[in-house]
Amino acid sequence: GCGEAQRCAARVRTSDGVCHLLVARWERRHGFPAWVTHSEIAYASAPDPTGPYTIQGTALGRREPGFWDSDNAHNPMILAHGGRFYLYYTGTTGDGDWWTHRNHQRIGVAVADHPDGPWRRSDVPLVDVTPGSWDHQITSSPIVTRGGDGRFYMVYKGVSDGPQPFGGQVRMGLAIAD
């Protein structure tokens, strides 16, 4: 399972009735703490929401060093809009130290024409940290929906500045976009 109240799977059904599941996974040999250092987002499909789902492959995995999400992808959230699919997720980079990875969590988005990909990632985070604010240290765990007003609402987790390595208070916030 996924701990710390994290959402580790997201599902969408396409017009052909197929159910598509994006799920966080990592190798058991790395242990539970590896959710922040080795997680990737796998893609699975099923004819029915209750499954069984068949893993088809990796939707978002590691990518070359130097990117904000080069080491992992976690907390998938998928949204269909305008004939495209938007995969919101938490990504990290670091030096192998658990706290370094945890403190470099940022929210990103990848876009595809179909849930099976290919997914096109952004080279920069969608929601970065805000120095001096409630999300000073990390942004993670995005949940996105479209409101009745046509705007998009994202609830996400942040950590304020505080004693390291943990940082300050963990809070939930709201971001709104047209």
Side-chain angles (χ1 to χ4, degrees), residues 5 10 23-26 38-39 63 101 107 109 118 120 124 141 150 166 171-172:
V23 59
R25 69 178 181 183
W26 59 96
H38 291 79
S39 182
R63 63 176 170 167
H101 285 269
I107 295 170
V109 64
R120 293 173 302 283
V124 296
S141 309
F166 186 79
R171 298 237 171 112
M172 301 301 289

Side-chain angles (χ1 to χ4, degrees), residues 41-164:
I41 298 174
Y43 166 72
S45 63
D48 186 84
T50 59
Y53 284 86
T54 302
I55 296 287
Q56 306 291 332
T58 301
L60 294 181
R62 290 177 175 252
R63 63 176 170 167
E64 59 272 17
F67 287 98
W68 65 274
D69 61 347
S70 61
D71 292 337
N72 94 332
H74 198 64
N75 303 124
M77 163 66 210
I78 190 167
L79 181 73
H81 173 70
R84 299 176 100 185
F85 295 87
Y86 298 84
L87 176 55
Y88 301 90
Y89 64 100
T90 302
T92 68
T93 189
D95 58 8
D97 174 72
W98 191 91
W99 283 104
T100 302
H101 285 269
R102 184 269 195 176
N103 292 337
H104 282 93
Q105 292 179 82
R106 303 294 186 267
I107 295 170
V109 64
V111 182
D113 294 328
H114 192 273
D116 65 1
W119 291 96
R120 293 173 302 283
R121 298 187 202 204
S122 175
D123 291 343
V124 296
L126 178 65
V127 180
D128 207 338
V129 295
T130 309
S133 187
W134 68 273
D135 62 355
H136 173 92
Q137 188 159 306
I138 75 162
T139 62
S140 72
S141 309
I143 299 171
V144 181
T145 190
R146 187 166 190 203
D149 61 0
R151 297 169 77 188
F152 294 88
Y153 294 84
M154 176 189 290
V155 175
Y156 69 99
K157 182 169 74 173
V159 173
S160 64
D161 193 16
Q164 295 301 308

Side-chain angles (χ1 to χ4, degrees), residues 5-53:
Q6 295 180 19
R7 176 193 22 73
C8 294
R11 185 189 62 82
V12 66
R13 181 179 251 170
T14 48
S15 60
D16 60 3
V18 175
C19 296
H20 305 272
L21 184 71
L22 292 132
V23 59
R25 69 178 181 183
W26 59 96
E27 292 182 38
R28 182 182 304 260
R29 68 185 172 95
H30 295 297
F32 177 75
W35 67 265
V36 78
T37 56
H38 291 79
S39 182
E40 66 180 15
I41 298 174
Y43 166 72
S45 63
D48 186 84
T50 59
Y53 284 86

